[in-house]
Amino acid sequence: ANVYGPGQQLYRIIPRTVLFALTGQTLHLHGGGHSARSFIHIDDVSRATRAIAERGEAGATYHISTNDQITIRDLVALVLARLGMAFEDCVETTGERLGKDQSYMLDSSKLRTGLGWTDTIGIEEGVGSTIEWVKTHLDELKALPQHYQHKP
């Protein structure tokens, strides 16, 4: 699952879309954004991690994920709509990245049934909090690297 929320690295799709839109940059959407992903808010991940630490079986594996998927294109469209901006004005479709997965999703049923956990922050609410974080820190964020930097 893709973890997102306030404070996320700027090269990730949600904060990147917000930052690029607010600074007038064009977002390049690889392969048209048709791949689907599960996005889970950091607060839900934190609650799941705590539940595992407190009530999980030692040595067991638990997948932390939502039960929902969204295409990258639909996610970008959602972010831009929340900002009051047109998709066509902010996005350029580019070729697909080599080796990119079309879709993936984790099965979090063991966490849900065994530990009684459920995610509570929907994508619209979570996107809203991430947008507000970028807006609040826009001047600082504009000065930071906006592209992925591999650390040796």
Side-chain angles (χ1 to χ4, degrees):
N2 290 294
V3 179
Y4 74 97
Q8 186 178 28
Q9 303 97 330
L10 297 179
Y11 65 86
R12 299 293 185 181
I13 191 64
I14 296 172
R16 182 180 184 87
T17 300
V18 177
L19 185 61
F20 276 38
L22 294 178
T23 58
Q25 298 178 69
T26 300
L27 179 73
H28 294 162
L29 193 58
H30 298 288
H34 298 292
S35 59
R37 301 285 184 263
S38 171
F39 285 84
I40 186 166
H41 195 274
I42 185 61
D43 291 350
D44 282 331
V45 172
S46 297
R47 286 187 318 90
T49 303
R50 183 172 184 151
I52 294 165
E54 292 177 349
R55 302 186 306 278
E57 177 187 335
T61 300
Y62 296 89
H63 295 276
I64 304 171
S65 181
T66 68
N67 287 328
D68 302 316
Q69 283 192 324
I70 187 170
T71 65
I72 302 301
R73 181 182 189 86
D74 288 345
L75 179 63
V76 168
L78 170 69
V79 170
L80 293 172
R82 294 288 298 263
L83 291 169
M85 298 181 170
F87 184 91
E88 301 76 24
D89 295 338
C90 300
V91 176
E92 178 183 326
T93 299
T94 62
E96 189 65 86
R97 287 186 295 132
L98 291 177
K100 185 174 179 185
D101 295 328
Q102 182 61 29
S103 178
Y104 57 84
M105 188 166 181
L106 299 172
D107 178 1
S108 60
S109 59
K110 182 176 177 180
L111 175 61
R112 292 171 186 279
T113 58
L115 303 182
W117 174 87
T118 188
D119 51 310
T120 60
I121 301 173
I123 191 71
E124 294 218 10
E125 178 186 351
V127 161
S129 69
T130 307
I131 288 171
E132 290 310 310
W133 172 75
V134 173
K135 285 181 173 181
T136 299
H137 301 283
L138 185 59
D139 289 335
E140 302 155 59
L141 297 175
K142 286 192 296 189
L144 296 175
Q146 298 171 13
H147 300 282
Y148 177 75
Q149 296 180 345
H150 180 73
K151 296 180 182 174

